[in-house]
Amino acid sequence: MESVGNIVEEIDRSCGDEQRLEGPSINQKSDMYSTKRKQSLEARYVYGCIFLITNILAWLFRDYGHKLPHRLLSKRVCGAEGKNCVDAGGVLRLSLGCFIFFSFMGVTTWGVHKLQEVRNQWHSSWWASKCLIYLLSIMGPFIISENIIQLYGEIARIGAGIFLLLQLISMIHFLSWCDSQWISDLQPNKCGLFGLFLSTVFYTASFFGIIMMYYVYALDSTCIINIFIITWTTALVTVIMIVSLHSKVNAGLLSSAIMGSYIVFLCWSAIHSEPAMEKCNKRKRTDRDDMTTILSFFIAIGAIVMATFSTGTDSNSFQLKKNEVQSADDAPYNYATFHFIFSMGSMYFAMLFINWQLNQPTKKWSIDVGWVSTWIKIANECLAASIYLWKLMYPLIMKGTAISHEEFVQNANNSV
């Protein structure tokens, strides 16, 4: 009996040694992956704070950079009085530094798919090293010649346009997520009524906003541009609602209601960006309209962060690829895409602060003001409506194409 007991003990000991050699257990691995996943998700907010700090610095350099001691700026690059490194020049240099930082992070995290990879830790931690890289990135452009900065400004216009397109894509993703969450055929009592309530709220807000814009910005018949913009927006919202409710499309009210509100917001933002004209604007503008400027600033930053978080995330966030199964050790979102969108956002915020014009003076406490900004937002509004309508009608068009192809094949067979 003792020999049998010794044999059992030896077997247990050998099994324990094998388990230790094999590594952590399944539960330990699960806990480890959960911790790394949490770190990766929390890292997004740290990067968002870095981006926000850069925006605030750009704002300060634009409005108060001329108060900096001239000895802090390079005379060879910034000029005798530092004019090339403040105002629009300061914004572009900080934007370039932010672009360099996030581009570097995107390149170094390219192709990371698993949580156990070393570069996953680089994305989610090592903050002291990344803070040093960030400081070097935003300081470096202040020793770059003015010609290169002007070239970057021209490129930044293209990058800002790319960002606006990515923002629209993220908006479409968000609408798909809203439909899947609140307009459900499986739980009509829980989801359908709430979705109907939200649809009513958004449509009411849209048409109320249109009425208010007519009242505030189209008081006189001479305000032709404002009347046209608001009327065009009304037509877009109406078309979106009609198409979404068409029996062959049947997309429901919620997504179209949210998109309608978004289009009305773009219309308001476009008109608000117009240069001050008292006869077409009941609210007189001042050089320091603090609350409106701060609100516009945080709306712009929020749009950038939302676009970055949503477009960079995986399918689980917006449920777009329902057939894909994510493994426990998969990265929760695409790191390279995440940093790429922030790099494009760096170009976008530069255009907001300098009103899309490289060499024009900008008033203090103003963001995205001027006719260029206005027409860019109108174009963005039309593009948003076009993309959404195409999303609604694409399945119907493809279905009609498939039916036509089947009929053609059938007629060909009959003729043969």
Side-chain angles (χ1 to χ4, degrees):
M1 294 294 292
E2 292 180 0
S3 60
V4 174
N6 292 334
I7 293 172
V8 172
E9 290 178 2
E10 288 293 333
I11 294 173
D12 292 339
R13 190 180 299 111
S14 62
C15 291
D17 293 339
E18 289 178 0
Q19 289 179 352
R20 283 191 291 272
L21 290 173
E22 289 175 357
S25 64
I26 296 176
N27 291 334
Q28 290 174 330
K29 285 185 178 181
S30 178
D31 293 339
M32 179 180 65
Y33 292 148
S34 177
T35 301
K36 290 185 176 182
R37 181 181 295 272
K38 184 179 179 181
Q39 289 177 345
S40 179
L41 293 172
E42 290 174 350
R44 299 182 303 171
Y45 300 99
V46 180
Y47 288 115
C49 290
I50 292 173
F51 186 79
L52 175 61
I53 291 171
T54 311
N55 277 260
I56 295 174
L57 285 175
W59 194 347
L60 293 176
F61 260 82
R62 189 198 68 174
D63 290 355
Y64 304 102
H66 61 278
K67 295 183 179 180
L68 287 173
H70 294 166
R71 64 178 180 272
L72 296 178
L73 302 174
S74 171
K75 291 184 179 180
R76 181 178 62 83
V77 175
C78 301
E81 298 180 358
K83 291 182 179 180
N84 295 335
C85 295
V86 297
D87 296 329
V91 171
L92 289 173
R93 292 174 191 274
L94 286 168
S95 169
L96 176 58
C98 191
F99 171 79
I100 291 172
F101 173 74
F102 282 107
S103 297
F104 174 78
M105 291 303 304
V107 171
T108 54
T109 57
W110 180 273
V112 176
H113 301 294
K114 299 295 181 181
L115 292 172
Q116 70 267 24
E117 294 185 38
V118 175
R119 288 185 297 156
N120 177 76
Q121 287 298 105
W122 166 243
H123 170 80
S124 306
S125 56
W126 296 66
W127 294 111
S129 300
K130 283 184 284 192
C131 284
L132 177 60
I133 294 173
Y134 170 73
L135 290 176
L136 293 174
S137 298
I138 64 171
M139 291 170 63
F142 285 89
I143 61 174
I144 296 177
S145 67
E146 179 66 12
N147 292 334
I148 296 178
I149 297 300
Q150 290 295 313
L151 176 61
Y152 169 75
E154 298 292 345
I155 297 173
R157 288 174 172 170
I158 301 174
I162 294 173
F163 174 79
L164 289 174
L165 181 60
L166 293 173
Q167 188 181 55
L168 293 180
I169 293 173
S170 71
M171 186 67 185
I172 299 298
H173 287 187
F174 176 71
L175 295 179
S176 300
W177 178 78
C178 289
D179 282 338
S180 65
Q181 291 292 313
W182 295 320
I183 302 296
S184 174
D185 295 332
L186 300 177
Q187 295 177 315
N189 293 330
K190 294 182 179 180
C191 299
L193 293 178
F194 184 61
L196 181 60
F197 170 75
L198 289 178
S199 304
T200 305
V201 170
F202 277 106
Y203 267 122
T204 302
S206 298
F207 288 107
F208 177 76
I210 289 171
I211 293 172
M212 288 302 299
M213 284 192 292
Y214 272 119
Y215 176 72
V216 176
Y217 299 114
L219 292 174
D220 195 281
S221 59
T222 58
C223 302
I224 299 175
I225 295 178
N226 288 356
I227 293 173
F228 169 77
I229 293 173
I230 298 170
T231 305
W232 176 252
T233 301
T234 306
L236 289 178
V237 174
T238 305
V239 169
I240 286 174
M241 181 178 66
I242 293 173
V243 172
S244 64
L245 291 177
H246 194 278
S247 58
K248 293 184 178 180
V249 176
N250 196 24
L253 280 173
L254 181 57
S255 61
S256 61
I258 298 175
M259 177 55 74
S261 297
Y262 179 66
I263 289 174
V264 171
F265 166 76
L266 289 177
C267 176
W268 169 82
S269 182
I271 295 177
H272 192 76
S273 294
E274 293 176 357
M277 294 183 299
E278 293 186 6
K279 67 176 182 179
C280 295
N281 192 342
K282 190 174 183 179
R283 181 183 61 80
K284 291 184 179 181
R285 297 186 181 183
T286 62
D287 292 341
R288 191 160 177 158
D289 193 358
D290 296 357
M291 292 305 298
T292 304
T293 303
I294 292 173
L295 177 62
S296 301
F297 172 75
F298 281 106
I299 288 175
I301 298 302
I304 295 173
V305 173
M306 187 192 78
T308 307
F309 279 24
S310 61
T311 311
T313 52
D314 63 353
S315 58
N316 289 335
S317 298
F318 290 113
Q319 299 180 2
L320 296 179
K321 301 176 183 177
K322 296 179 183 181
N323 295 328
E324 293 186 4
V325 178
Q326 190 177 39
S327 302
D329 62 339
D330 284 346
Y333 53 95
N334 190 309
Y335 300 156
T337 304
F338 175 83
H339 292 297
F340 169 75
I341 297 173
F342 260 135
S343 66
M344 294 297 102
S346 302
M347 295 182 173
Y348 177 65
F349 85 70
M351 293 298 105
L352 293 183
F353 282 127
I354 67 175
N355 303 327
W356 297 81
Q357 302 182 61
L358 303 183
N359 299 312
Q360 296 294 328
T362 305
K363 292 183 179 180
K364 286 185 178 180
W365 289 79
S366 65
I367 293 179
D368 208 17
V369 175
W371 285 113
V372 177
S373 300
T374 296
W375 290 114
I376 285 176
K377 290 177 180 179
I378 295 299
N380 192 30
E381 175 187 339
C382 295
L383 183 61
S386 300
I387 291 176
Y388 181 72
L389 288 172
W390 173 253
K391 174 182 175 292
L392 293 180
M393 301 182 67
Y394 178 76
L396 187 62
I397 294 172
M398 294 304 297
K399 183 179 179 181
T401 303
I403 293 174
S404 299
H405 178 71
E406 290 178 359
E407 290 178 350
F408 173 78
V409 173
Q410 186 176 1
N411 292 333
N413 291 333
N414 292 335
S415 62
V416 172

